[in-house]
């Protein structure tokens, strides 16, 4: 069961780059790393997913070192609207694995003007 | 709007009553998930369907909980004899499962907030 550990909270300012690191020491070979964002009173929203090295999309980058025991979500030039809870998940899409994808408590990111 | 809808958005009920929630997933998605989320915590997995088959149930899903997905389309989650501890946000998500494409990207609905008095 791949458990993740991430900071409970982080603060930053508008225009800064924010990096949130997640530890997943017992990640399995078939596991992918996925990050979700959640605003109050809404369901989580997919941000990015990766398996190794670096993945970039229009909203974020995901850095995964060779040993895959951690990953870093990078949000470039954050704005107030990036204030949310960010969840790091580890798992695969096998038929018996849905229950093994654990959200945890996430990282509460607060962006100040 | 992710394309996943849930109804109702809010439900207040008295202890001991039965409640039913509905989830309409994105139409081409073959997987549907139910989660429960309490204040300050991340979503906790309850159960999921592959088409109409319920493939996994969490131990959190006591005998008072039942979920269905007739014809592999919408799904319902029923809680019988509600207790105050059932008060939470109930989230539904759907995904398109494709072998070899990593973990499914789940699209979440807005949730149903249940308050048991």
């Amino acid at each position: 069961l791949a458990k993740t550990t991430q900071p409970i909270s982080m603060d930053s300012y508008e225009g800064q780059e924010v990096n949130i690191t997640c530890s997943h020491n017992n990640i399995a070979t078939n596991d992918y790393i996925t990050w979700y964002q959640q605003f109050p009173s809404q369901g989580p929203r997919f941000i990015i997913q990766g398996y190794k090295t670096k993945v970039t999309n229009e909203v974020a980058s995901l850095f995964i070192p060779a040993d895959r025991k951690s990953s870093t979500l990078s949000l470039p030039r954050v704005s107030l609207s990036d204030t949310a809870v960010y969840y790091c998940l580890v798992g695969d899409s096998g038929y018996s694995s849905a229950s093994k994808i654990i959200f945890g408590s996430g990282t509460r990111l607060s962006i100040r003007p | 709007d992710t394309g996943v809808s849930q109804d109702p958005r809010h439900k207040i009920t008295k202890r001991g009553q039965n409640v039913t929630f509905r989830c309409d997933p994105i139409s081409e998605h073959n997987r549907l998930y139910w989660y429960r989320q309490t204040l300050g915590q991340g979503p906790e997995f309850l159960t999921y369907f592959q088409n109409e088959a319920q493939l996994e149930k969490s131990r959190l899903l006591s005998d008072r909980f039942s979920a269905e997905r007739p014809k592999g389309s919408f799904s319902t989650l029923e809680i019988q004899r509600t207790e105050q501890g059932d008060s939470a946000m109930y989230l539904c998500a759907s995904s398109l499962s494709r072998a070899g494409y990593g973990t499914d990207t789940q699209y979440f609905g807005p949730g149903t907030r249940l308050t048991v008095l």
Side-chain angles (χ1 to χ4, degrees), chain A residues 5-99:
Chain A
T5 303
Q6 45 183 130
I8 294 174
S9 64
M10 293 182 66
D11 296 325
S12 188
Y13 293 90
E14 282 190 293
Q16 298 295 305
E17 178 184 78
V18 171
N19 296 312
I20 307 175
T21 297
C22 179
S23 298
H24 27 80
N25 290 320
N26 56 343
I27 187 170
T29 302
N30 294 333
D31 286 345
Y32 282 71
I33 300 153
T34 310
W35 286 80
Y36 284 83
Q37 174 193 56
Q38 186 176 27
F39 298 113
S41 300
Q42 294 186 24
R45 183 175 72 103
F46 171 86
I47 300 176
I48 198 166
Q49 182 182 97
Y51 184 80
K52 62 181 179 180
T53 62
K54 177 183 175 182
V55 179
T56 298
N57 62 21
E58 62 275 9
V59 298
S61 295
L62 179 59
F63 298 92
I64 306 169
D67 67 6
R68 304 200 327 123
K69 293 184 183 298
S70 67
S71 59
T72 299
L73 174 72
S74 181
L75 304 173
R77 297 179 300 280
V78 294
S79 65
L80 295 176
S81 63
D82 292 314
T83 295
V85 178
Y86 293 82
Y87 296 98
C88 165
L89 281 68
V90 172
D92 67 40
S93 61
Y95 283 106
S96 63
S97 302
S99 64

Side-chain angles (χ1 to χ4, degrees), chain B residues 25-43:
Chain B
I26 294 172
S27 59
E28 63 267 28
H29 284 185
N30 53 1
R31 285 191 174 179
L32 187 147
Y33 305 76
W34 284 100
Y35 292 85
R36 182 176 69 187
Q37 186 173 26
T38 54
L39 198 62
Q41 301 299 313

Side-chain angles (χ1 to χ4, degrees), chain B residues 7-116:
Chain B
D7 184 69
R9 294 291 307 277
H10 304 272
K11 178 71 176 178
I12 300 174
T13 191
K14 293 182 179 179
R15 188 174 53 188
Q17 298 295 303
N18 299 342
V19 294
T20 300
F21 309 141
R22 177 180 170 123
C23 172
D24 286 273
I26 294 172
S27 59
E28 63 267 28
H29 284 185
N30 53 1
R31 285 191 174 179
L32 187 147
Y33 305 76
W34 284 100
Y35 292 85
R36 182 176 69 187
Q37 186 173 26
T38 54
L39 198 62
Q41 301 299 313
E44 296 175 293
F45 170 83
L46 292 178
T47 188
Y48 96 100
F49 293 83
Q50 176 90 10
N51 299 312
E52 67 274 10
Q54 188 173 17
L55 295 188
E56 271 194 283
K57 291 195 296 186
S58 163
R59 63 181 182 279
L60 295 174
L61 216 63
S62 74
D63 291 344
R64 298 184 295 106
F65 288 71
S66 62
E68 295 182 345
R69 193 185 182 196
K71 303 178 183 178
S73 56
F74 71 93
S75 176
T76 58
L77 177 69
E78 180 182 15
I79 308 174
Q80 296 182 328
R81 304 181 303 282
T82 53
E83 302 172 355
Q84 288 185 325
D86 296 331
S87 294
M89 174 77 84
Y90 289 84
L91 292 162
C92 170
S94 70
S95 70
L96 179 62
S97 173
R98 297 176 294 175
Y101 281 85
T103 303
D104 301 350
T105 297
Q106 296 185 38
Y107 293 82
F108 283 81
T112 294
R113 183 167 297 283
L114 173 67
T115 301
V116 182

